[in-house]
Amino acid sequence: CALRARFSPVWYRQVRPACLLLAGVVSAGAPCVRGFSPVRYRQVRPACAASRLRYRQVHPACAASRRCGIGRCALRARLLAGVVSAGAPCVSASRRCGIGSPTEAKHMAHVEFSSYEGFTGLPDDWEDTGISAPGVSKRVFAVPISKLRLVPYTGTLFGTQAGIPRVLITLRHALKKWRAAEVVYIFRSCAEETECRKVMEELDAGEVMAGFGKPPSMTSVHTAAGLLTRWYRQMPVCILDAVSLEEIAVCSSADAAATLAMRLPDQERALLEWLIDILAEVAAASDINKMTPKNLGLVVAPSLKRNGDPIQMLLSAGKIAEMVAFLIEMRLAMTEDTSHTESQ
């Protein structure tokens, strides 16, 4: 992106469209003349015969283009597009072509990329363009975790560090907006199927992924709760599939439930902790919503494990619900201990 101390024919042919444009020989978009030599260039405009000068001496901003990672083609395109001003007068005495420096430059946006969130910091008018991390699925239901956009998360129950899909963050924001903990029989009351399907289509289309806002078609808190459990139920591999029904059946205490949860892979354990956090918030207000840890366990148990014999799964649903109830009670106890310590 910067000319060397001496022009070579190869380098000259690579940058000649920009030089011709700046020299006023051709207009923007005009075809370049093949075989245009440095000699003829000097004949056309003696003031631009500064081929021995380094290009960064002619335009300081272009000298930094190499450090910024701008290639020769990108620089030439910017010159032809008029991004770099060519209005500065030439200095005939020194036979130097002066190019004006950019003025009124503003830092409009700072964009970063990570495997968890994809591109962050995009301007508002870019958020709806569907730009995402490479390999990320546009759909958010019934797809592997590795294909979803994730948000970093550190579990509060076991301290697991992993990623939580952005769609779950969106649904949780909707639950908080409607104060789900104060709704009677939340997670137990059925949502309208037509609305659930419409909201799922909006989520799969990525319409609300940018700002974690509420889907436009969602009009009920029960829709958010129903889609949350449906997302877990439609996972290709449910979060408790890594443990057997026999291991769950012997889980009869909070310590046993915690030990069994620690045997899960990090990603599945993080999803379990995240769900337990939401259920604990609801259970903390069970005197209002009538949803105790046991009731919540019964509601979400069918969404946490799918493999195995269907009849055996039905018989073991109570044990899965009991394990979830133990974990919810552990989370509530941690919250109480934290509140007591802070009060002291």
Side-chain angles (χ1 to χ4, degrees):
C1 61
L3 300 186
R4 296 179 178 176
R6 296 178 179 274
F7 257 140
S8 65
V10 176
W11 275 74
Y12 185 78
R13 285 194 296 270
Q14 292 173 347
V15 299
R16 69 183 177 188
C19 295
L20 289 173
L21 178 63
L22 297 178
V25 177
V26 295
S27 60
C32 298
V33 181
R34 295 185 177 275
F36 197 81
S37 64
V39 176
R40 185 177 180 184
Y41 179 73
R42 295 190 182 94
Q43 294 174 351
V44 173
R45 187 169 185 177
C48 293
S51 59
R52 300 195 180 193
L53 298 176
R54 295 186 179 182
Y55 192 77
R56 57 174 175 268
Q57 294 175 344
V58 176
H59 193 283
C62 294
S65 61
R66 176 174 297 179
R67 296 191 297 270
C68 297
I70 301 176
R72 294 192 298 271
C73 295
L75 177 59
R76 182 174 61 183
R78 292 189 177 191
L79 287 170
L80 292 175
V83 177
V84 179
S85 174
C90 298
V91 183
S92 300
S94 59
R95 302 177 64 83
R96 175 186 288 181
C97 180
I99 305 175
S101 300
T103 59
E104 300 181 0
K106 296 181 180 180
H107 190 124
M108 303 300 295
H110 180 75
V111 181
E112 294 182 351
F113 173 82
S114 70
S115 58
Y116 282 117
E117 301 182 57
F119 292 97
T120 57
L122 291 172
D124 294 339
D125 55 343
W126 287 22
E127 289 288 4
D128 296 331
T129 57
I131 298 177
S132 59
V136 172
S137 172
K138 191 174 183 180
R139 296 184 55 192
V140 295
F141 284 87
V143 296
I145 297 295
S146 59
K147 298 294 184 179
L148 295 176
R149 297 181 64 179
L150 305 179
V151 177
Y153 169 77
T154 300
T156 55
L157 198 59
F158 306 114
T160 307
Q161 294 184 351
I164 299 297
R166 291 169 63 93
V167 61
L168 294 183
I169 306 296
T170 298
L171 295 174
R172 185 172 187 176
H173 283 197
L175 291 174
K176 288 186 176 181
K177 181 177 181 179
W178 271 307
R179 298 182 179 180
E182 302 177 6
V183 178
V184 178
Y185 296 130
I186 186 66
F187 284 104
R188 185 174 181 178
S189 298
C190 296
E192 184 180 353
E193 183 62 22
T194 303
E195 181 175 323
C196 286
R197 291 182 179 180
K198 190 171 183 179
V199 174
M200 287 178 64
E201 292 177 358
E202 293 176 353
L203 292 172
D204 281 335
E207 295 183 9
V208 293
M209 291 295 100
F212 301 117
K214 179 179 71 65
S217 299
M218 185 180 291
T219 61
S220 171
V221 65
H222 297 294
T223 302
L227 289 180
L228 183 65
T229 56
R230 181 176 298 191
W231 186 90
Y232 277 89
R233 185 167 59 253
Q234 293 185 355
M235 291 180 62
V237 179
C238 291
I239 58 177
L240 292 183
D241 286 352
V243 295
S244 64
L245 293 175
E246 291 76 12
E247 292 174 314
I248 297 177
V250 298
C251 182
S252 57
S253 65
D255 292 338
T259 301
L260 191 60
M262 290 298 296
R263 295 180 56 185
L264 297 173
D266 289 346
Q267 184 62 71
E268 284 74 9
R269 186 166 63 251
L271 290 172
L272 178 61
E273 289 186 65
W274 189 87
L275 178 62
I276 294 299
D277 284 345
I278 297 179
L279 300 179
E281 292 177 1
V282 175
S286 58
D287 55 336
I288 300 175
N289 55 48
K290 312 302 180 184
M291 296 300 291
T292 62
K294 184 176 180 180
N295 292 339
L296 290 169
L298 290 171
V299 171
V300 303
S303 302
L304 303 183
K305 189 171 179 63
R306 185 173 54 250
N307 65 355
D309 183 76
I311 298 178
Q312 189 178 4
M313 279 291 302
L314 182 62
L315 297 176
S316 303
K319 283 295 183 180
I320 298 176
E322 188 177 358
M323 173 185 174
V324 174
F326 283 139
L327 295 177
I328 294 174
E329 292 172 354
M330 287 182 58
R331 184 67 182 90
L332 291 174
M334 291 178 59
T335 303
E336 293 177 358
D337 293 342
T338 302
S339 302
H340 180 69
T341 302
E342 292 178 352
S343 63
Q344 289 181 344

